[in-house]
């Protein structure tokens, strides 16, 4: 008697099942997430327009703020529209290719949020601690020496994570307990070994978020020490750092809660993990332009002028 051979077919279509526990109340989520989506797009677009259109704001610090606004405009576009359609019309299907593309751009843009916070800290370090060399360090040729390695790091690490995830066989269930494709939410559905994927995922988090956080923290410790020893002039210069620290604190807190809630599952309902992993991406996009627009005097003045003329 010949041994029985079973054909194992890898899934090419997945179902996004986030917040399924809410049942008939799930469509209600459309309203708050739609409001956050509109706020994110409009506020970041306005901030980006003001920085680009005003020549007085074409200094490195404001260019970095515009870069953050650009990232915050693009990031929600890759996952929020599909999520809103899912809430309103119960459209939950996504192909494997579409899922991998979504993972790549969501994680890549999330990595650039961290990188831009690092570059902002670097800008403030040169401006406050070594002001005589600020223009030399932040001139385009010198600045690119810092930017290019970070861009290459982000692109290659995220690409490697997505490529390895796409090579896995998905022959068990095809239901992703999330509102969009998240790396570990997809990987845990694989029927083969995922040890390499888990290690690489943690490695990418360490090499991007943890490394950036270490250098950001170090730079601000040096900045505070230098400012406190410089009297009033140093404290005045330090005012611009407070904005960056507020944004960094809120962003990293949400990322940490989302990261830990997804891996520490005991006692945590599924909706809690989905909520925080969605919130840290969308809330930061809403929060950043409001904080920069309110706390940065020059930007606030130009925004008010722009709105009053429209």
């Amino acid at each position: 008697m010949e041994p029985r051979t079973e054909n194992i077919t890898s899934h090419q279509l997945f179902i996004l099942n986030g917040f399924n526990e809410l049942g008939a109340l799930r469509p209600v989520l459309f309203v708050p997430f739609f409001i956050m989506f509109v706020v994110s797009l409009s506020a970041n677009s306005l901030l980006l327009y003001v920085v680009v259109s005003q020549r007085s704001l074409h200094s490195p610090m404001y260019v970095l703020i515009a870069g953050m606004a650009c990232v915050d405009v693009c990031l929600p576009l890759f996952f929020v529209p599909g999520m809103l359609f899912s809430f309103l019309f119960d459209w939950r299907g996504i192909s494997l290719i579409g899922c991998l593309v979504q993972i790549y751009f969501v994680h890549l843009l999330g990595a650039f949020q961290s990188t831009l916070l690092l570059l902002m800290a670097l800008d403030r370090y040169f401006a406050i601690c070594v002001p005589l060399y600020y223009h030399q360090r932040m001139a385009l040729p010198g600045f690119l020496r810092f930017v290019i390695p970070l861009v290459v790091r982000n692109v290659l690490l995220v690409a490697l994570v997505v490529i390895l995830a796409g090579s896995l066989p998905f022959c068990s269930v095809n239901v992703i307990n999330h509102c969009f494709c998240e790396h570990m939410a997809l990987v845990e559905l694989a029927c083969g070994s995922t040890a390499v994927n888990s290690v690489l995922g943690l490695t990418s988090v360490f090499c991007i978020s943890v490394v950036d956080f270490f250098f950001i923290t170090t730079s601000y410790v040096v900045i505070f020490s230098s400012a406190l020893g410089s009297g009033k002039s140093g404290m005045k210069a330090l005012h611009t750092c407070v904005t960056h620290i507020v944004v960094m604190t809120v962003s990293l807190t949400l990322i940490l809660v989302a990261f830990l809630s997804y891996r520490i599952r005991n006692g945590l309902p599924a909706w809690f993990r989905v909520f925080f992993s969605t919130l840290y991406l969308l809330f930061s996009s809403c929060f950043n332009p409001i904080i920069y627009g309110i706390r940065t005097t020059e930007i606030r003045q130009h925004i008010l002028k722009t709105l009053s003329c429209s």
Side-chain angles (χ1 to χ4, degrees), residues 48-112:
L48 188 59
Y49 168 77
V50 167
V51 175
V52 171
S53 62
Q54 301 297 325
R55 293 184 60 86
S56 60
L57 299 180
H58 290 180
S59 62
M61 183 180 71
Y62 299 119
V63 170
L64 290 173
I65 290 176
M68 181 69 80
C70 185
V71 169
D72 288 337
V73 165
C74 296
L75 181 56
L77 293 175
F78 283 101
F79 74 96
V80 175
M83 189 171 69
L84 294 177
F85 281 121
S86 173
F87 292 150
L88 205 57
F89 303 111
D90 206 32
W91 296 352
R92 307 193 189 197
I94 187 170
S95 67
L96 176 60
I97 296 299
C99 191
L100 293 173
V101 169
Q102 190 176 70
I103 290 174
Y104 180 77
F105 283 105
V106 167
H107 284 71
L108 181 64
L109 291 170
F112 276 116

Side-chain angles (χ1 to χ4, degrees), residues 19-30 87:
F19 297 113
N20 193 54
E21 302 89 343
L22 297 179
L25 294 177
R26 193 171 180 269
V28 176
L29 292 175
F30 175 86
F87 292 150

